[in-house]
Amino acid sequence: MAVLPIRIMGDPVLHSPAEPVAEITDEIRTLVADMFETMDAAPGVGLAAPQVGVGLRIYTYSYQDDEGAPWRGVIINPDLWMRPTVPGAPDPDEESEGCLSFPGERFPLRRSDEVIVTGTDLDGAPVHIQVDGWRARIMQHEFDHLDGILYIDRLDDADWKTVQKIARKRGWGRGGVAWTPGIDDLEA
């Protein structure tokens, strides 16, 4: 297993729809193991294959609730259904999120509070997940990556302008920029 470099906003792989996984091979299994290691090292609660430069419809997730119960897995070729989002402005204290591909920053974003995700696991077995709250947020965030959407693409105009200033200051917003957890001094 290896910790992989995480692409930063502006890299073309992050802004393009990912391709379906045709077959679960040893190469895919190695990629998923590396994604878990990278996600844990970052640390993050989710990681999509495009974030490590691979344009495939795969993401990993890991979250521990207040009771300490672990929730961890991988979804290959997911489909996502969600309840409509409640209208209104997001609560900056309760609805802010960050991203390993725009590290070190958090912005408020309204998401659906309940989702259903289906797909397959690493063994090709069907996956059906119905979650709410932060777990639903994680599923939506990672699914967006597979469609070439970063959460910063969904922000309101004022926050979007702030994102652009940060990106210019840090030299982001172009291809080839990445950071490696445990080596570079960036965290989401």
Side-chain angles (χ1 to χ4, degrees):
M1 291 191 308
V3 173
L4 304 172
I6 298 173
R7 306 294 175 93
I8 292 179
M9 64 96 57
D11 195 291
V13 73
L14 294 173
H15 304 283
S16 302
E19 295 293 322
V21 174
E23 180 183 359
I24 299 171
T25 62
D26 286 343
E27 186 177 75
I28 295 294
R29 287 181 184 86
T30 298
L31 171 62
V32 169
D34 292 346
M35 287 173 63
F36 274 115
E37 189 163 338
T38 303
M39 177 181 66
D40 293 343
V45 295
L47 185 68
Q51 292 181 274
V52 294
V54 179
L56 291 174
R57 297 188 74 77
I58 304 170
Y59 66 80
T60 57
Y61 59 90
S62 182
Y63 180 73
Q64 194 165 338
D65 64 21
D66 293 337
E67 288 80 41
W71 181 64
R72 187 172 174 89
V74 59
I75 301 179
I76 299 172
N77 297 332
D79 286 312
L80 173 77
W81 293 270
M82 60 187 151
R83 285 193 190 271
T85 306
V86 176
D91 179 333
D93 295 325
E94 299 294 324
E95 296 178 285
S96 288
E97 62 188 73
C99 181
L100 297 176
S101 291
F102 197 81
E105 304 297 331
R106 295 184 66 79
F107 290 94
L109 178 64
R110 177 68 42 100
R111 296 267 193 188
S112 176
D113 194 48
E114 186 177 357
V115 301
I116 297 172
V117 180
T118 61
T120 60
D121 67 13
L122 205 50
D123 297 318
V127 172
H128 178 97
I129 299 172
Q130 184 170 356
V131 290
D132 59 11
W134 275 102
R135 291 177 179 173
R137 178 175 295 275
I138 293 166
M139 295 287 113
Q140 291 166 84
H141 182 109
E142 299 311 323
F143 188 86
D144 272 354
H145 277 297
L146 304 182
D147 287 340
I149 299 168
L150 300 180
Y151 92 103
I152 55 177
D153 297 331
R154 295 188 179 278
L155 299 177
D156 66 26
D157 288 342
D159 286 337
W160 175 248
K161 288 177 184 175
T162 302
V163 163
Q164 295 308 307
K165 288 177 187 175
I166 292 167
R168 274 193 303 277
K169 181 178 176 183
R170 295 182 183 166
W172 299 348
R174 57 187 170 82
V177 181
W179 71 285
T180 304
I183 295 174
D184 298 314
D185 237 3
L186 299 173
E187 289 186 6

